Amino acid sequence: MALCASSFPAIINWGAASDPKKSTPFASHFLGGSDLVLQPLKKLNQVKKRPGGVYASLSEGAEYHSQRPATPLLDTINYPIHMKNLSVKELKQLSEELRSDVIFNVSKTGGHLGSSLGVVELTVALHYVFNAPRDKILWDVGHQSYPHKILTGRRHKMHTMRQTNGLAGFTKRSESEYDCFGTGHSSTTISAGLGMAVGRDLKGERNHVVAVIGDGAMTAGQAYEAMNNAGYLDSDMIVILNDNKQVSLPTANLDGPTPPVGALSSALSRLQSNRPLRELREVAKGVTKQIGGPMHELAAKVDEYARGMISGSGSTLFEELGLYYIGPVDGHNIDDLVSILKEVKTTKTTGPVLIHVVTEKGRGYPYAERAADKYHGVVKFDPATGKQFKGNSATQSYTTYFAEALIAEAEADKNIVAIHAAMGGGTGLNLFLRRFPQRCFDVGIAEQHAVTFAAGLACEGLKPFCAIYSSFMQRAYDQVVHDVDLQKLPVRFAMDRAGLVGADGPTHCGAFDVTFMACLPNMVVMAPSDEAELFHMVATAAAIDDRPSCFRYPRGNGIGVQLPPGKKGVPLEVGKGRVLIEGERVALLGYGSAVQSCLAAASLLESHGLRLTVADARFCKPLDHALIRKLAKSHEVLITVEEGSIGGFGSHVAQFLALDGLLDGKVKWRPLVLPDRYIDHGSPVDQLAEAGLTPSHIAATVFNVLEQKREAFEVMSSRN
Amino acid sequence: MRCSYGLTAIPGTDARFFSPETSFLQLRRTFQPTRIKFGLFKIKAKIDEARKEMSFYELLGISERGTSLEIKQAYKQLARKYHPDVSPPDRVEEYTERFIRVQEAYETLSDPRRRALYDKDLALGIHLAFSARRRYQYDEDLEDRSEWKNRWQSQLSELKRRSRNRDAGGNMSWGARMRRQREELSKEL
């Protein structure tokens, strides 16, 4: 029994408990740890009652070690095929071991914990019943795929999760054949799964396709587009709706858990809590039994009506779209999961089926279960106490600065409102929400709707700030062009996570926003080079009221410049850059965070006797023509640097130089942009080096242009 | 207070409870599991009574409209006061009982969902403390769970029934046509 199994390691632990390293500061854990006082109470309660009900929120007695936990059964599983001979009881043990393995691994590397813990049983059941990789299992968003990766031959690499040259934090086709579709943005798996199902049908194959999608991802339109199409095509596939009632990220605001966003989630919860009128159902069943025989049709109709009347409005949503609804199912009960999946698997010609599975995010790790954000994304932490090892930094993140800047603007101007798409924590707008609860809108994972919604707000004279990550803005591009830019509505776009983003990798990388924003005729495009500039640009955006504007800022912390007084920026003059260092011969014109790399490169080159000019363009659109003319005319070399793809800032400068006749003279112009390939996940430093945009690279480029190849080589080989 | 005070661990006692060396308690006077264990039923009885008197809001000393910040602060204050390890030795039991009640109050009121349920109950004149509510809820949920099982079992049988007739000649959906094609091909082979 689980209780006994976990008491054993507990005893062992005490033998070593005098080890001072393991003593944990109780005081700091007062709130969370104080329920440990209650544990005898609760444990007694749980002994009496059958554990494993919905409120088994304090796991029974599992101890969390800093050393690798013992996982005898999991050690025998390298691939799903090794699971096929296990009994259901062993599967339960496997789930427990898998869970502790996930906790252990994530504690060492950081990553997405809560979501992975919620799907442990589901993963085990899926791999037990289905035969990956022939059967396709798709994981929406992919951040819950850690147990999947462990079970599919990547356990030994889990310590490299999200690091350079290590495992990706999301599913990735090039990493393993068991990852059949790359994910990262949400709500794509039903579409992809349908594509795979149809492809299978066209080829005449017989494998299964299973798409696992969360209730949060269900708020995106693409999921409905896909279900609509799936219902129409009637191809066999299984959609598993992983419902844990967490629709916004992080799954809480600052003051506690957030009730889910949107009307859909209340429909889903009604589904769960619906108490069907059993008597009526029984009667209906009795009637159909009696009719029986040749009266199939009538019986089916009766049953259908009965179900429709009784099961409420939730399941008929999916039924109307053409998916057969099964559920709700307890997502932590392996018995149930395995029997349902087996049944569905062995039924021929099911058409599309939706299995509604109810799970609990962070399940099995008490600290995660109790945390308001369910430990959605964590850095390295201590498993025994749940405390994360957050680094100490002198400055805060750009995200926080943006939120503070926006709050300051909103204090002064009551028309300012903020919109985000289920990313309250990631965009910092949870801070805004706390200050102005009526002026902050979370629309769920629906960027397209967010943009057009903002456009509607702008029509009424309000000043909407849309905070959407640079890479998620890709989803809303048509809305930006057609609904905002074409009509010249003053919507402000705050694009966080611009440029390379580190551990999340190319799926979250904001490489293209300069390109796709700056080509729009009416858009003002700007980028701050440090946090003070960010404050000013928020103010500038608030002041631009006759056309749309956008600004981009990177992931990471500020560099430590002085913030404007009262944390309120001053609007900048639109279309004017600034010169930071006056020099000669060579000019570096940076855009956004690249300016910092330019400054670093300049100091590298000082020691070689070169005094460069470094300028911050601030605006990509409208460009500071005077500044560029001045730089081009008074310098031999002009190098533009940005952390974006081709077609962005550098290209706009090139266009201007060409049209202005500046390229007909003597100046040598070179652009530095992100290379024409996707940069894999890794540490920010490694990624920048891979992209060729480090200060050393910039310095080497300068030398190369000046025909000083030897110095170029020197400066490249001397970097660490 | 070490384990020697009061009753020592009796063989057969569930060893899951804490030993004095348990590392997560760093306060000098370590917690006494066995004492609590045997005093448990007494405390529970007391709680059951007291429950009938004070609502969670009164317990925490805040108004019914208290914000979550106020709740947090009240809880922190009271928890620090009533924690068994810092309570005066002659009033440990009373304080512990208080502490547990405060703990329950905080847990219920800090979660908006549970708080909503609690407020509803309160409005109806029932004051069910957290664990009682939990038991009530738990029974409801247990019922729900068995409902769920019945429901999906019948859904599965319905699925099986439907699938028998699904690809009958009349069904012209793309998937049905492909499946018929595939069956014919495999028959030919």
Side-chain angles (χ1 to χ4, degrees), chain A residues 345-412:
Chain A
K345 178 184 179 189
T346 54
T347 310
K348 286 180 178 293
T349 72
T350 57
V353 173
L354 181 126
I355 305 179
H356 182 188
V357 170
V358 177
T359 60
E360 190 187 335
K361 191 165 183 173
R363 162 80 161 229
Y365 188 53
Y367 303 114
E369 288 170 2
R370 309 205 73 83
D373 71 342
K374 307 283 184 197
Y375 276 41
H376 168 78
V378 295
V379 294
K380 301 180 196 172
F381 64 94
D382 175 13
T385 61
K387 276 193 68 65
Q388 296 186 42
F389 301 133
K390 293 202 164 138
N392 277 336
S393 173
T395 54
Q396 295 180 298
S397 61
Y398 281 104
T399 311
T400 316
Y401 288 133
F402 164 67
E404 291 176 352
L406 195 60
I407 291 173
E409 295 298 322
E411 306 259 3

Side-chain angles (χ1 to χ4, degrees), chain B residues 22 29 42 46 57 108-109 112 133-134 145 187:
Chain B
T22 308
R29 285 143 105 237
K42 256 203 292 178
K46 275 202 203 148
Y57 295 103
T108 315
L109 297 181
R133 220 303 159 177
R134 255 177 125 219
R145 295 285 142 154
K187 279 197 194 117

Side-chain angles (χ1 to χ4, degrees), chain A residues 631-633 635-638 657 662-663 665-669:
Chain A
L631 292 177
K633 288 189 176 148
H635 291 78
E636 274 178 47
V637 178
L638 174 61
L657 289 174
L662 295 166
L663 290 179
K666 288 197 304 205
V667 70
K668 296 189 180 153
W669 171 77

